[in-house]
Every structure is written in structure tokens, then in C-alpha cells.
Amino acid sequence: MRDRLQAQLTQATAELRAHMASWEYAFAMAGGCHGGADHPLHWETQARTEKLKERCRALRAQLAEFEV
């Protein structure tokens, strides 16, 4: 079980890093004088970022249960 969770965390972390290295992410998270990051076009990218981060947090929490 622990090995499976670790493998899932490794995969989720790699997916998050790849997403955060994309131009799509860079444009969605960039600030600007006109609030470009708040444009509706970027909402999906921002939601995906949060979903990936939450997945990594959840897997880390599950793995932490094995450390006790």
C-alpha cells in the first residue's frame, strides 16, 4: 500500500511540475497592470493547478499515516 501511494505521489508531483513549467501556467499566473491573471480564459488552468496541488497534499497526508 505504501509503495503504491509513493508511486502515485511521484506521478502526481511530476504532473504538477510539468504543468507549472508550461506556458499555459505562466500566462495564467502572471500579474499585470490590467489583472490578466483574472481573465476567464485562465480560470481552467488555475483550477487544474489547485486540483494537482490538492492531489499531492492528499497523497502526502496518506503517506504520513504510515510514518507513525
Side-chain angles (χ1 to χ4, degrees):
M1 178 72 167
R2 185 179 191 285
D3 293 335
R4 184 174 57 85
L5 287 172
Q6 185 61 51
Q8 289 177 356
L9 177 59
T10 300
Q11 181 181 359
T13 302
E15 188 175 347
L16 177 60
R17 286 184 179 160
H19 172 70
M20 293 177 83
S22 71
W23 281 108
E24 176 186 22
Y25 175 83
F27 283 116
M29 298 304 173
C33 62
H34 302 293
D38 292 331
H39 192 279
L41 181 68
H42 301 304
W43 292 347
E44 185 177 330
T45 301
Q46 293 165 351
R48 181 168 183 240
T49 302
E50 287 307 311
K51 185 177 178 181
L52 289 170
K53 286 180 178 181
E54 178 56 36
R55 177 73 176 139
C56 289
R57 280 192 296 267
L59 288 167
R60 281 190 204 99
Q62 288 177 336
L63 278 170
E65 292 176 4
F66 287 97
E67 301 298 324
V68 175

Coordinates of all heavy atoms in Angstrom, one line a residue:
M1 N 0.8 -1.2 0.0 CA 0.0 0.0 0.0 C 0.9 1.3 0.0 O 0.6 2.2 -0.8 CB -0.9 0.0 1.2 CG -1.8 1.2 1.4 SD -3.1 1.2 0.1 CE -4.1 2.4 0.8
R2 N 1.9 1.3 0.9 CA 2.8 2.4 1.0 C 3.5 2.7 -0.4 O 3.6 3.8 -0.8 CB 3.8 2.2 2.1 CG 4.6 3.5 2.3 CD 5.6 3.3 3.5 NE 6.3 4.5 3.9 CZ 7.2 5.0 3.2 NH1 7.6 4.5 2.1 NH2 7.8 6.2 3.7
D3 N 4.0 1.6 -1.0 CA 4.7 1.7 -2.2 C 3.8 2.2 -3.3 O 4.2 3.1 -4.2 CB 5.3 0.4 -2.7 CG 6.4 -0.1 -1.7 OD1 7.0 0.7 -1.1 OD2 6.6 -1.3 -1.7
R4 N 2.5 1.8 -3.3 CA 1.6 2.3 -4.3 C 1.3 3.8 -4.1 O 1.3 4.6 -5.1 CB 0.3 1.5 -4.2 CG -0.7 1.9 -5.3 CD -2.0 1.0 -5.3 NE -2.7 1.0 -4.0 CZ -3.6 1.9 -3.6 NH1 -3.9 2.9 -4.4 NH2 -4.2 1.8 -2.4
L5 N 1.2 4.2 -2.9 CA 0.9 5.6 -2.6 C 2.2 6.4 -3.0 O 2.0 7.5 -3.5 CB 0.6 5.8 -1.1 CG -0.7 5.4 -0.6 CD1 -0.8 5.5 0.9 CD2 -1.8 6.2 -1.3
Q6 N 3.3 5.9 -2.7 CA 4.6 6.6 -3.1 C 4.7 6.8 -4.6 O 5.1 7.8 -5.1 CB 5.8 5.9 -2.5 CG 7.1 6.7 -2.8 CD 7.1 8.0 -2.1 OE1 6.8 8.1 -0.9 NE2 7.4 9.0 -2.9
A7 N 4.3 5.7 -5.3 CA 4.3 5.8 -6.8 C 3.3 6.8 -7.3 O 3.6 7.6 -8.2 CB 4.1 4.4 -7.4
Q8 N 2.1 6.9 -6.7 CA 1.1 7.8 -7.1 C 1.6 9.2 -6.8 O 1.4 10.2 -7.6 CB -0.2 7.6 -6.4 CG -0.9 6.3 -6.9 CD -2.2 6.0 -6.1 OE1 -2.5 6.7 -5.1 NE2 -2.9 5.0 -6.5
L9 N 2.2 9.4 -5.7 CA 2.8 10.8 -5.3 C 3.8 11.2 -6.3 O 3.9 12.3 -6.7 CB 3.3 10.8 -3.9 CG 3.9 12.1 -3.4 CD1 2.9 13.2 -3.5 CD2 4.5 12.0 -2.0
T10 N 4.7 10.3 -6.7 CA 5.8 10.6 -7.6 C 5.2 11.0 -9.0 O 5.6 12.0 -9.6 CB 6.7 9.4 -7.8 OG1 7.3 9.0 -6.6 CG2 7.8 9.7 -8.8
Q11 N 4.2 10.3 -9.4 CA 3.5 10.6 -10.7 C 2.8 11.9 -10.6 O 2.8 12.8 -11.5 CB 2.5 9.5 -11.0 CG 1.8 9.8 -12.3 CD 0.8 8.6 -12.7 OE1 0.7 7.7 -11.9 NE2 0.1 8.8 -13.8
A12 N 2.0 12.2 -9.5 CA 1.3 13.4 -9.3 C 2.2 14.6 -9.2 O 2.0 15.7 -9.8 CB 0.4 13.3 -8.1
T13 N 3.4 14.4 -8.5 CA 4.4 15.5 -8.4 C 5.0 15.8 -9.8 O 5.1 17.0 -10.1 CB 5.4 15.1 -7.4 OG1 4.8 14.9 -6.2 CG2 6.5 16.2 -7.3
A14 N 5.2 14.8 -10.6 CA 5.8 15.0 -11.9 C 4.8 15.8 -12.8 O 5.1 16.7 -13.5 CB 6.2 13.7 -12.5
E15 N 3.5 15.4 -12.7 CA 2.5 16.0 -13.5 C 2.3 17.5 -13.1 O 2.2 18.4 -13.9 CB 1.2 15.3 -13.3 CG 0.1 15.8 -14.2 CD -1.2 15.0 -14.1 OE1 -1.2 13.9 -13.5 OE2 -2.2 15.5 -14.6
L16 N 2.4 17.8 -11.7 CA 2.3 19.2 -11.3 C 3.5 20.0 -11.8 O 3.3 21.1 -12.2 CB 2.2 19.2 -9.7 CG 2.2 20.6 -9.1 CD1 1.0 21.4 -9.5 CD2 2.2 20.4 -7.6
R17 N 4.7 19.4 -11.7 CA 5.9 20.1 -12.1 C 5.8 20.4 -13.6 O 6.2 21.5 -14.1 CB 7.1 19.4 -11.8 CG 7.5 19.4 -10.4 CD 8.8 18.7 -10.0 NE 9.0 18.8 -8.6 CZ 9.8 18.0 -8.0 NH1 10.5 17.1 -8.6 NH2 10.0 18.2 -6.7
A18 N 5.4 19.5 -14.4 CA 5.2 19.7 -15.9 C 4.2 20.8 -16.1 O 4.4 21.6 -17.0 CB 4.9 18.4 -16.5
H19 N 3.1 20.7 -15.4 CA 2.1 21.7 -15.6 C 2.6 23.1 -15.2 O 2.4 24.1 -16.0 CB 0.9 21.4 -14.7 CG -0.2 22.5 -14.7 ND1 -1.0 22.8 -15.7 CD2 -0.6 23.3 -13.6 CE1 -1.8 23.7 -15.4 NE2 -1.6 24.1 -14.1
M20 N 3.3 23.2 -14.1 CA 3.9 24.5 -13.7 C 5.0 25.0 -14.6 O 5.3 26.2 -14.5 CB 4.3 24.4 -12.2 CG 3.1 24.2 -11.3 SD 3.6 24.0 -9.6 CE 3.8 25.8 -9.1
A21 N 5.6 24.2 -15.4 CA 6.6 24.6 -16.3 C 6.0 25.0 -17.7 O 6.8 25.4 -18.6 CB 7.6 23.4 -16.5
S22 N 4.7 24.9 -17.9 CA 4.1 25.2 -19.1 C 3.9 26.7 -19.3 O 3.8 27.5 -18.4 CB 2.8 24.4 -19.3 OG 1.8 25.0 -18.4
W23 N 3.8 27.1 -20.6 CA 3.4 28.5 -20.9 C 2.0 28.8 -20.5 O 1.7 29.9 -20.0 CB 3.6 28.7 -22.4 CG 5.0 28.9 -22.8 CD1 5.7 28.0 -23.6 CD2 5.8 30.0 -22.6 NE1 7.0 28.5 -23.7 CE2 7.1 29.8 -23.1 CE3 5.6 31.2 -21.9 CZ2 8.1 30.7 -23.1 CZ3 6.7 32.1 -21.8 CH2 7.9 31.8 -22.4
E24 N 1.1 27.8 -20.6 CA -0.2 28.0 -20.1 C -0.3 28.4 -18.7 O -1.0 29.4 -18.3 CB -1.0 26.6 -20.3 CG -2.4 26.6 -19.8 CD -3.0 25.2 -19.9 OE1 -2.3 24.2 -19.9 OE2 -4.2 25.2 -19.9
Y25 N 0.5 27.8 -17.8 CA 0.6 28.1 -16.4 C 1.2 29.5 -16.2 O 0.7 30.3 -15.4 CB 1.4 27.1 -15.6 CG 1.6 27.4 -14.2 CD1 0.6 27.1 -13.2 CD2 2.8 28.0 -13.8 CE1 0.8 27.4 -11.9 CE2 3.0 28.3 -12.4 CZ 2.0 28.0 -11.5 OH 2.2 28.3 -10.2
A26 N 2.3 29.8 -16.9 CA 2.9 31.1 -16.8 C 2.0 32.2 -17.1 O 2.0 33.2 -16.4 CB 4.2 31.1 -17.7
F27 N 1.2 32.1 -18.2 CA 0.3 33.2 -18.6 C -0.8 33.3 -17.6 O -1.3 34.4 -17.2 CB -0.3 32.9 -20.0 CG 0.7 33.3 -21.1 CD1 1.2 32.3 -21.9 CD2 1.2 34.6 -21.2 CE1 2.1 32.6 -22.9 CE2 2.1 34.9 -22.2 CZ 2.5 33.9 -23.1
A28 N -1.3 32.1 -17.1 CA -2.5 32.1 -16.1 C -2.1 32.7 -14.8 O -2.9 33.3 -14.1 CB -3.0 30.7 -16.0
M29 N -0.8 32.6 -14.4 CA -0.4 33.0 -13.1 C 0.3 34.4 -13.1 O 0.6 35.0 -12.0 CB 0.5 32.0 -12.4 CG -0.1 30.7 -12.2 SD -1.6 30.8 -11.2 CE -2.3 29.2 -11.3
A30 N 0.5 34.9 -14.3 CA 1.2 36.2 -14.4 C 0.3 37.3 -13.9 O -0.9 37.3 -14.1 CB 1.6 36.4 -15.8
G31 N 0.9 38.3 -13.3 CA 0.2 39.5 -13.0 C 0.3 40.5 -14.1 O 1.1 40.4 -15.0
G32 N -0.4 41.5 -14.0 CA -0.3 42.6 -15.0 C -1.0 43.8 -14.5 O -1.8 43.8 -13.6
C33 N -0.8 44.9 -15.2 CA -1.5 46.1 -14.8 C -3.0 46.1 -15.0 O -3.7 46.9 -14.4 CB -0.8 47.3 -15.5 SG -1.1 47.2 -17.3
H34 N -3.4 45.2 -15.8 CA -4.9 45.1 -16.1 C -5.4 43.8 -15.5 O -6.5 43.4 -15.8 CB -5.2 45.1 -17.6 CG -4.7 46.4 -18.2 ND1 -5.2 47.6 -17.9 CD2 -3.7 46.6 -19.1 CE1 -4.6 48.5 -18.6 NE2 -3.6 47.9 -19.3
G35 N -4.7 43.1 -14.6 CA -5.2 41.9 -13.9 C -5.4 40.8 -14.9 O -6.4 40.1 -14.9
G36 N -4.4 40.5 -15.8 CA -4.5 39.5 -16.8 C -4.7 38.1 -16.2 O -5.4 37.2 -16.8
A37 N -4.3 37.8 -15.0 CA -4.4 36.5 -14.4 C -5.9 36.2 -14.0 O -6.3 35.1 -13.9 CB -3.5 36.4 -13.1
D38 N -6.7 37.3 -13.9 CA -8.1 37.1 -13.6 C -9.0 36.9 -14.8 O -10.2 36.8 -14.7 CB -8.6 38.3 -12.8 CG -8.0 38.3 -11.4 OD1 -7.6 37.3 -10.9 OD2 -7.8 39.5 -10.9
H39 N -8.4 36.8 -15.9 CA -9.2 36.7 -17.2 C -9.8 35.3 -17.2 O -9.2 34.3 -16.8 CB -8.3 36.8 -18.4 CG -9.0 36.9 -19.7 ND1 -9.5 35.8 -20.3 CD2 -9.4 38.0 -20.4 CE1 -10.2 36.3 -21.4 NE2 -10.1 37.6 -21.5
P40 N -11.1 35.2 -17.6 CA -11.8 33.9 -17.6 C -11.1 32.8 -18.4 O -11.3 31.6 -18.1 CB -13.2 34.3 -18.3 CG -13.3 35.7 -18.0 CD -12.0 36.3 -18.0
L41 N -10.3 33.2 -19.4 CA -9.5 32.2 -20.1 C -8.6 31.4 -19.3 O -8.3 30.2 -19.6 CB -8.7 32.9 -21.2 CG -7.9 32.1 -22.2 CD1 -8.8 31.3 -23.1 CD2 -7.0 33.0 -23.0
H42 N -8.1 31.9 -18.2 CA -7.2 31.3 -17.3 C -7.8 30.5 -16.1 O -7.1 29.9 -15.4 CB -6.1 32.3 -16.8 CG -5.4 33.0 -17.9 ND1 -4.7 32.4 -18.9 CD2 -5.3 34.3 -18.2 CE1 -4.2 33.2 -19.7 NE2 -4.5 34.4 -19.3
W43 N -9.1 30.6 -15.9 CA -9.7 30.0 -14.8 C -9.5 28.5 -14.8 O -9.3 27.9 -13.7 CB -11.2 30.4 -14.7 CG -11.5 31.8 -14.4 CD1 -10.6 32.7 -13.9 CD2 -12.7 32.5 -14.6 NE1 -11.2 33.9 -13.8 CE2 -12.5 33.8 -14.2 CE3 -13.9 32.1 -15.0 CZ2 -13.5 34.8 -14.2 CZ3 -14.9 33.1 -15.0 CH2 -14.7 34.4 -14.6
E44 N -9.6 27.9 -15.9 CA -9.4 26.4 -16.0 C -8.0 26.0 -15.6 O -7.8 25.0 -14.9 CB -9.8 25.9 -17.4 CG -9.7 24.4 -17.5 CD -10.1 24.0 -18.9 OE1 -10.9 24.6 -19.6 OE2 -9.7 22.9 -19.3
T45 N -7.0 26.8 -16.1 CA -5.6 26.5 -15.7 C -5.4 26.6 -14.2 O -4.8 25.8 -13.6 CB -4.7 27.4 -16.5 OG1 -4.9 27.2 -17.9 CG2 -3.2 27.1 -16.2
Q46 N -6.0 27.7 -13.7 CA -5.8 27.9 -12.2 C -6.5 26.8 -11.4 O -6.0 26.3 -10.4 CB -6.3 29.3 -11.8 CG -5.5 30.4 -12.4 CD -6.2 31.7 -12.4 OE1 -7.4 31.8 -12.1 NE2 -5.5 32.8 -12.7
A47 N -7.7 26.4 -11.9 CA -8.4 25.3 -11.2 C -7.6 24.0 -11.3 O -7.5 23.2 -10.3 CB -9.8 25.1 -11.8
R48 N -7.0 23.7 -12.5 CA -6.2 22.5 -12.6 C -5.0 22.5 -11.7 O -4.6 21.5 -11.1 CB -5.7 22.4 -14.1 CG -4.9 21.1 -14.3 CD -4.7 20.8 -15.8 NE -4.0 19.5 -15.9 CZ -2.9 19.4 -16.5 NH1 -2.3 20.4 -17.0 NH2 -2.3 18.2 -16.5
T49 N -4.4 23.7 -11.6 CA -3.2 23.8 -10.7 C -3.6 23.5 -9.3 O -3.0 22.7 -8.6 CB -2.7 25.3 -10.7 OG1 -2.3 25.6 -12.1 CG2 -1.5 25.4 -9.8
E50 N -4.7 24.0 -8.8 CA -5.2 23.7 -7.4 C -5.6 22.3 -7.3 O -5.3 21.7 -6.2 CB -6.4 24.6 -7.1 CG -6.0 26.1 -6.8 CD -4.9 26.2 -5.8 OE1 -5.0 25.6 -4.7 OE2 -3.9 26.9 -6.1
K51 N -6.2 21.7 -8.3 CA -6.5 20.3 -8.2 C -5.3 19.4 -8.1 O -5.2 18.5 -7.3 CB -7.3 19.9 -9.5 CG -7.8 18.5 -9.5 CD -8.7 18.2 -10.7 CE -9.2 16.8 -10.8 NZ -10.0 16.5 -12.0
L52 N -4.2 19.7 -8.9 CA -3.0 18.9 -8.8 C -2.3 19.1 -7.5 O -1.8 18.2 -6.9 CB -2.1 19.3 -10.0 CG -2.5 18.9 -11.4 CD1 -1.6 19.6 -12.4 CD2 -2.4 17.4 -11.5
K53 N -2.3 20.3 -7.0 CA -1.7 20.6 -5.6 C -2.4 19.8 -4.5 O -1.8 19.3 -3.6 CB -1.7 22.1 -5.3 CG -0.7 22.9 -6.1 CD -0.7 24.4 -5.7 CE 0.3 25.2 -6.5 NZ 0.2 26.6 -6.1
E54 N -3.7 19.9 -4.6 CA -4.6 19.1 -3.6 C -4.3 17.6 -3.7 O -4.2 17.0 -2.6 CB -6.0 19.4 -3.8 CG -6.9 18.7 -2.8 CD -6.6 19.0 -1.4 OE1 -6.2 20.1 -1.0 OE2 -6.7 18.0 -0.6
R55 N -4.2 17.1 -4.9 CA -3.9 15.7 -5.0 C -2.5 15.3 -4.4 O -2.4 14.3 -3.6 CB -3.8 15.3 -6.5 CG -3.5 13.9 -6.8 CD -4.6 13.0 -6.4 NE -4.2 11.6 -6.8 CZ -4.5 10.5 -6.1 NH1 -5.2 10.7 -5.0 NH2 -4.1 9.4 -6.5
C56 N -1.5 16.2 -4.6 CA -0.2 15.9 -3.9 C -0.3 16.0 -2.4 O 0.3 15.2 -1.7 CB 0.8 16.9 -4.5 SG 1.3 16.6 -6.2
R57 N -1.0 17.0 -1.9 CA -1.2 17.2 -0.5 C -1.9 15.9 0.1 O -1.5 15.4 1.2 CB -2.0 18.4 -0.2 CG -1.2 19.7 -0.2 CD -2.0 20.9 0.4 NE -3.2 21.2 -0.3 CZ -3.2 22.1 -1.3 NH1 -2.2 22.8 -1.6 NH2 -4.4 22.4 -1.9
A58 N -3.0 15.5 -0.6 CA -3.7 14.3 -0.1 C -2.8 13.1 0.0 O -2.9 12.3 0.9 CB -4.9 14.1 -0.9
L59 N -2.0 12.9 -1.1 CA -1.1 11.7 -1.1 C -0.1 11.8 0.0 O 0.3 10.8 0.7 CB -0.5 11.5 -2.5 CG -1.5 11.1 -3.6 CD1 -0.8 11.2 -4.9 CD2 -1.9 9.6 -3.3
R60 N 0.5 13.0 0.2 CA 1.5 13.2 1.3 C 0.8 12.9 2.7 O 1.5 12.3 3.5 CB 2.0 14.6 1.3 CG 3.1 14.8 0.2 CD 3.8 16.1 0.4 NE 4.3 16.5 -0.9 CZ 3.8 17.4 -1.7 NH1 2.7 18.0 -1.4 NH2 4.4 17.7 -2.8
A61 N -0.4 13.3 2.8 CA -1.1 13.0 4.1 C -1.3 11.5 4.3 O -1.1 11.0 5.4 CB -2.4 13.8 4.1
Q62 N -1.7 10.8 3.3 CA -1.9 9.4 3.4 C -0.6 8.7 3.7 O -0.5 7.8 4.5 CB -2.5 8.8 2.1 CG -3.9 9.2 1.9 CD -4.5 8.7 0.6 OE1 -3.8 8.5 -0.4 NE2 -5.8 8.5 0.5
L63 N 0.5 9.2 3.0 CA 1.8 8.6 3.3 C 2.3 8.9 4.7 O 2.9 8.0 5.4 CB 2.9 9.1 2.3 CG 2.9 8.4 1.0 CD1 3.8 9.1 0.0 CD2 3.4 7.0 1.1
A64 N 1.9 10.0 5.2 CA 2.3 10.4 6.6 C 1.7 9.4 7.6 O 2.3 9.2 8.7 CB 1.9 11.8 6.9
E65 N 0.6 8.9 7.3 CA -0.1 7.9 8.2 C 0.8 6.7 8.4 O 0.7 6.0 9.5 CB -1.5 7.5 7.7 CG -2.5 8.7 7.7 CD -3.8 8.3 7.1 OE1 -4.0 7.1 6.8 OE2 -4.7 9.2 7.0
F66 N 1.6 6.3 7.5 CA 2.4 5.2 7.6 C 3.7 5.5 8.4 O 4.4 4.5 8.8 CB 2.9 4.7 6.2 CG 1.7 4.0 5.4 CD1 1.0 4.7 4.5 CD2 1.4 2.7 5.7 CE1 0.0 4.0 3.8 CE2 0.4 2.0 5.0 CZ -0.3 2.7 4.1
E67 N 4.0 6.7 8.5 CA 5.2 7.1 9.3 C 5.0 7.0 10.8 O 6.0 7.0 11.5 CB 5.6 8.5 8.9 CG 5.9 8.7 7.4 CD 7.1 7.9 7.0 OE1 8.1 7.7 7.7 OE2 7.0 7.3 5.8
V68 N 3.8 7.0 11.2 CA 3.5 7.0 12.7 C 3.9 5.7 13.3 O 4.0 4.6 12.9 CB 2.0 7.3 12.9 CG1 1.7 7.1 14.4 CG2 1.7 8.6 12.4

